[in-house]
Amino acid sequence: MVPQRVSLITIGASDLPVLRSFYKRLGWKETESSSDTYAVFKTAGVILSLFPIEELAKDAEVAITPDASSFRGVAFAINVGSPEEVDQAIEDIRRARGNILREPSDAFWGGRTAYFADPENNLWEVAWNPDSVFDERGAMLSF
């Protein structure tokens, strides 16, 4: 049986220093596992790593698609504890020079949501769901 969990997400970076700098401008702290060629950020429930896309493709034995700027069909989410936190996070992301794709708005499902892209067009949602339950570390347990 495959364990039902996500422990590590790696984003293949075309320009690691630029992408690393963006996440640091968000106020995210790197772990001691980071190096000149690999950035690691501990979040509430998952480790986020940034790794050169060529090395990631080589490790996975796959080819890199030519248009990395297009939507990849994947979005990451930062869930927060209140509607106001969505708005504040987007303002902080704007100051960090994130590309705001969708301004904060009330969602049809009863929450509040917004979207941004990092410097390499990785899609992120910032969302508040009134039914979300978080543990003491801030990891989402359910919604």
Side-chain angles (χ1 to χ4, degrees), residues 6-7 9 31 34 41 50 71 75 78 85 105 107 118 130-131 136-137:
V6 176
S7 4
I9 295 174
T31 71
S34 291
F41 300 89
L50 309 176
F71 178 56
I78 301 167
E85 288 179 69
S105 61
D118 70 17
D131 297 322
E136 66 282 350
R137 297 174 303 141

Short mmCIF file of all heavy atoms in Angstrom, two decimals, residues 6-7 9 31 34 41 50 71 75 78 85 105 107 118 130-131 136-137:
data_model
loop_
_atom_site.label_atom_id
_atom_site.label_comp_id
_atom_site.label_asym_id
_atom_site.label_seq_id
_atom_site.Cartn_x
_atom_site.Cartn_y
_atom_site.Cartn_z
N VAL A 6 1.61 13.60 1.32
CA VAL A 6 2.54 14.37 0.49
C VAL A 6 3.56 14.93 1.45
O VAL A 6 3.22 15.65 2.38
CB VAL A 6 1.83 15.50 -0.27
CG1 VAL A 6 2.82 16.33 -1.05
CG2 VAL A 6 0.75 14.93 -1.19
N SER A 7 4.83 14.57 1.27
CA SER A 7 5.86 15.01 2.20
C SER A 7 6.79 16.05 1.63
O SER A 7 7.33 16.86 2.36
CB SER A 7 6.70 13.84 2.70
OG SER A 7 6.39 12.63 2.11
N ILE A 9 7.48 18.56 -2.02
CA ILE A 9 7.16 19.05 -3.37
C ILE A 9 8.41 19.73 -3.89
O ILE A 9 8.97 20.61 -3.21
CB ILE A 9 5.97 20.03 -3.35
CG1 ILE A 9 4.70 19.31 -2.91
CG2 ILE A 9 5.81 20.69 -4.72
CD1 ILE A 9 3.51 20.20 -2.72
N THR A 31 15.99 25.96 5.09
CA THR A 31 16.51 25.02 6.09
C THR A 31 18.01 24.84 5.88
O THR A 31 18.57 25.27 4.88
CB THR A 31 15.82 23.64 5.96
OG1 THR A 31 16.27 23.01 4.76
CG2 THR A 31 14.31 23.76 5.96
N SER A 34 19.57 23.46 2.52
CA SER A 34 19.79 24.26 1.31
C SER A 34 21.28 24.34 0.99
O SER A 34 22.13 24.23 1.87
CB SER A 34 19.24 25.68 1.50
OG SER A 34 17.83 25.66 1.56
N PHE A 41 12.61 24.82 1.84
CA PHE A 41 11.80 25.62 2.75
C PHE A 41 10.85 24.68 3.48
O PHE A 41 10.12 23.92 2.86
CB PHE A 41 10.99 26.67 1.99
CG PHE A 41 11.82 27.64 1.22
CD1 PHE A 41 12.20 27.36 -0.10
CD2 PHE A 41 12.24 28.82 1.79
CE1 PHE A 41 12.97 28.26 -0.82
CE2 PHE A 41 13.02 29.73 1.07
CZ PHE A 41 13.38 29.44 -0.23
N LEU A 50 13.38 23.68 -4.23
CA LEU A 50 13.63 24.25 -5.56
C LEU A 50 14.91 23.62 -6.06
O LEU A 50 15.93 23.62 -5.35
CB LEU A 50 13.79 25.78 -5.47
CG LEU A 50 12.70 26.54 -4.73
CD1 LEU A 50 13.07 28.02 -4.65
CD2 LEU A 50 11.35 26.35 -5.39
N PHE A 71 0.65 27.22 -18.52
CA PHE A 71 0.03 26.60 -17.35
C PHE A 71 0.30 25.11 -17.37
O PHE A 71 0.08 24.43 -18.36
CB PHE A 71 -1.48 26.89 -17.35
CG PHE A 71 -2.22 26.25 -16.21
CD1 PHE A 71 -1.85 26.49 -14.90
CD2 PHE A 71 -3.28 25.40 -16.45
CE1 PHE A 71 -2.53 25.90 -13.84
CE2 PHE A 71 -3.98 24.82 -15.41
CZ PHE A 71 -3.59 25.07 -14.11
N ALA A 75 -1.61 23.48 -9.27
CA ALA A 75 -1.61 24.67 -8.43
C ALA A 75 -1.30 24.26 -7.00
O ALA A 75 -1.77 23.21 -6.54
CB ALA A 75 -2.95 25.39 -8.49
N ILE A 78 -1.92 27.91 -0.32
CA ILE A 78 -1.61 28.37 1.03
C ILE A 78 -2.96 28.67 1.66
O ILE A 78 -3.62 29.64 1.28
CB ILE A 78 -0.73 29.64 1.01
CG1 ILE A 78 0.58 29.37 0.27
CG2 ILE A 78 -0.50 30.14 2.44
CD1 ILE A 78 1.36 30.63 -0.06
N GLU A 85 -6.78 37.38 6.14
CA GLU A 85 -5.43 36.85 5.89
C GLU A 85 -5.18 36.62 4.40
O GLU A 85 -4.04 36.71 3.95
CB GLU A 85 -5.21 35.56 6.67
CG GLU A 85 -5.06 35.78 8.16
CD GLU A 85 -4.86 34.46 8.89
OE1 GLU A 85 -3.78 33.85 8.71
OE2 GLU A 85 -5.79 34.04 9.61
N SER A 105 -11.18 37.61 -3.69
CA SER A 105 -12.63 37.75 -3.89
C SER A 105 -13.32 36.62 -3.13
O SER A 105 -12.72 35.59 -2.82
CB SER A 105 -12.99 37.70 -5.37
OG SER A 105 -12.60 36.47 -5.94
N ALA A 107 -15.54 33.48 -2.75
CA ALA A 107 -15.69 32.31 -3.62
C ALA A 107 -17.12 31.77 -3.55
O ALA A 107 -17.78 31.90 -2.52
CB ALA A 107 -14.70 31.22 -3.20
N ASP A 118 4.58 32.66 -9.19
CA ASP A 118 5.94 33.02 -8.81
C ASP A 118 6.70 33.43 -10.09
O ASP A 118 6.11 33.43 -11.18
CB ASP A 118 6.61 31.88 -8.03
CG ASP A 118 6.92 30.64 -8.85
OD1 ASP A 118 6.93 30.70 -10.10
OD2 ASP A 118 7.17 29.59 -8.23
N PRO A 130 -14.01 28.40 5.36
CA PRO A 130 -14.57 28.44 6.72
C PRO A 130 -14.62 27.08 7.41
O PRO A 130 -14.72 27.02 8.63
CB PRO A 130 -15.98 29.01 6.51
CG PRO A 130 -16.30 28.81 5.08
CD PRO A 130 -14.98 28.80 4.34
N ASP A 131 -14.50 26.01 6.65
CA ASP A 131 -14.55 24.67 7.23
C ASP A 131 -13.18 24.06 7.49
O ASP A 131 -13.08 22.93 7.97
CB ASP A 131 -15.35 23.73 6.31
CG ASP A 131 -16.79 24.18 6.16
OD1 ASP A 131 -17.38 24.65 7.15
OD2 ASP A 131 -17.33 24.08 5.03
N GLU A 136 -1.64 22.37 15.33
CA GLU A 136 -0.87 23.41 16.04
C GLU A 136 0.27 23.96 15.20
O GLU A 136 0.75 25.06 15.45
CB GLU A 136 -0.35 22.87 17.38
CG GLU A 136 0.68 21.77 17.27
CD GLU A 136 0.10 20.38 16.96
OE1 GLU A 136 -1.14 20.20 16.99
OE2 GLU A 136 0.90 19.48 16.64
N ARG A 137 0.72 23.23 14.17
CA ARG A 137 1.79 23.73 13.30
C ARG A 137 1.26 24.56 12.15
O ARG A 137 2.02 25.15 11.41
CB ARG A 137 2.59 22.55 12.71
CG ARG A 137 3.31 21.71 13.72
CD ARG A 137 3.94 20.48 13.07
NE ARG A 137 2.90 19.70 12.39
CZ ARG A 137 3.06 19.09 11.20
NH1 ARG A 137 4.20 19.14 10.58
NH2 ARG A 137 2.08 18.42 10.66
#
